[in-house]
Amino acid sequence: MDISRRDLLKTTATSGLIAAGIAASEGIFQPLLAQDAATADELLALAAPTATKKGEMLYRTLGRTGQQVSAIGLGGFHLGKIKEEQDSIKLIRTAIDRGINFMDNSWDYHNGRSERWMGKALKNGYRQKVFLMTKLDGRTKAAATMQIDESLKALQTDYIDLMQHHEILRFEDPDRIFATGGAMEAVIAAQKAGKVRYIGFTGHKNPLVHLQMLQVAAQNKFRFDTVQMPLNVMDAHFRSFEKQVLPVLVKNQIGTIGMKSMGDPYILRSNTVTPIECLHYSLNLPTSTVVTGIDSMQLLDQAFEAVRTFKPLTQAQVTALLNRTRTAAINGKYELYKTTSQFDSTAQNPAYLG
């Protein structure tokens, strides 16, 4: 993953405003209608993920970026839950040594502890081995600029491979981000300065908000490089990102980052599926990487076991998993990130938005 500053600046030619201006003029940002289920299903079937096996890990292409990322991403939030700094650093480096190169993080995780610990873990040559992603909460240019600079300092790096707008949960978030003096101005400025390579957004509340973000971006002649969202066996039944957003990302070749494969970890409490089945289901979708929370060597081993045993699921296997989880998935009982504010850090800390 080593990259020179010159190469870094070149990526702006294939990302963001330049590529999106062409894309928008060609009319390729055309969200599929929700009721067009047959078209969406056919599109997803054609987009079965292809992967390259190296050592213990599978690697997939991150949308139009051309970057090869591990099919499993290391979740930053859980790294900050570990009691001892050295244990977190050891876990991060072990994951990298075994082949995980996609690092997830956020400016706000544990008041910056997750980024600080990851920054220490990425010293001594480890930074060059990974694709580093973090997120910012700011909706204004000032707040976003401050958070970008703080993330760079905490992560002890001079550039972030992927910067994502965090927690796009509200219908007004896209308008705030793309407004004059909004956060997108700060991210674009950071990209032009070589501090950021690619740009994406995340959210876990409502697929319609994701579609709104994509629509506002297209109106502003901008193409996101990535989108992160919940993709799991229960999402398929309730306010489904898989059904409503994923086909749009596939159609537009936007890198898909799956998260909450086990519902943090409420889906497992339904006693309908195993952790390995959860990971297999998410890996079976056209995801570039599936970010999963890992805060112990045991869970790291579990993630690699899921990769080792993964084979593309047959339609019968997918149907069986969905039938098994359908009743439990009703009303989002096990997807609390959709139905409550329990996982909404920006709702609990509105000052983060700026």
Side-chain angles (χ1 to χ4, degrees), residues 67-299:
Q67 298 296 314
Q68 294 295 300
V69 295
S70 51
I72 293 290
L74 190 65
F77 182 81
H78 286 73
L79 296 172
K81 294 172 60 178
I82 299 172
K83 291 183 179 180
E84 299 296 332
E85 176 182 297
Q86 287 304 313
D87 290 337
S88 182
I89 292 172
K90 180 180 179 181
L91 183 62
I92 294 167
R93 290 186 170 181
T94 301
I96 297 170
D97 289 340
R98 294 180 65 178
I100 292 178
N101 73 354
F102 190 93
M103 300 288 110
D104 165 274
N105 223 310
S106 179
W107 170 83
D108 64 9
Y109 285 165
H110 303 282
N111 295 315
R113 183 169 68 238
S114 288
E115 284 191 335
R116 290 193 299 273
W117 287 2
M118 183 170 283
K120 292 181 179 180
L122 294 181
K123 294 171 67 175
N124 302 322
Y126 278 88
R127 171 67 183 95
Q128 288 70 40
K129 298 179 180 180
V130 303
F131 186 91
L132 180 60
M133 180 271 281
T134 195
K135 316 177 193 81
L136 59 86
D137 297 314
R139 300 297 187 252
T140 66
K141 182 177 181 179
T145 299
M146 179 271 289
Q147 291 168 16
I148 291 169
D149 289 341
E150 288 192 358
S151 288
L152 288 167
K153 182 179 179 180
L155 290 165
Q156 300 189 43
T157 184
D158 59 0
Y159 72 95
I160 305 294
D161 291 296
L162 172 60
M163 179 64 71
Q164 299 199 113
H165 297 280
H166 194 206
E167 290 196 356
I168 305 304
L169 310 177
R170 313 157 190 84
F171 282 103
E172 65 267 23
D173 283 341
D175 291 323
R176 290 194 66 188
I177 286 170
F178 280 95
T180 301
M184 188 55 77
E185 291 185 2
V187 180
I188 291 295
Q191 187 183 56
K192 290 180 177 179
K195 297 178 181 180
V196 169
R197 296 179 69 195
Y198 304 106
I199 302 170
F201 74 90
T202 82
H204 55 252
K205 188 65 65 181
N206 189 328
L208 297 181
V209 178
H210 268 49
L211 294 178
Q212 174 74 2
M213 186 69 159
L214 292 168
Q215 181 179 8
V216 172
Q219 291 169 351
N220 284 274
K221 294 181 169 54
F222 185 87
R223 178 203 293 274
F224 282 106
D225 297 304
T226 62
V227 173
Q228 184 167 340
M229 58 192 184
L231 291 170
N232 57 60
V233 293
M234 291 192 177
D235 166 79
H237 301 295
F238 178 78
R239 288 187 199 165
S240 180
F241 287 86
E242 174 187 335
K243 300 299 184 185
Q244 299 187 62
V245 182
L246 188 55
V248 179
L249 304 185
V250 170
K251 181 181 178 69
N252 291 287
Q253 296 180 281
I254 296 173
T256 300
I257 303 170
M259 65 175 173
K260 303 192 187 305
S261 59
M262 303 176 207
D264 247 341
Y266 292 95
I267 290 174
L268 297 181
R269 298 180 187 178
S270 71
N271 296 316
T272 59
V273 282
T274 67
I276 296 294
E277 287 176 325
C278 287
L279 288 170
H280 281 177
Y281 183 88
S282 298
L283 288 169
N284 194 62
L285 295 171
T287 51
S288 297
T289 188
V290 175
V291 172
T292 186
I294 297 173
D295 55 16
S296 68
M297 291 296 179
Q298 180 182 2
L299 290 182

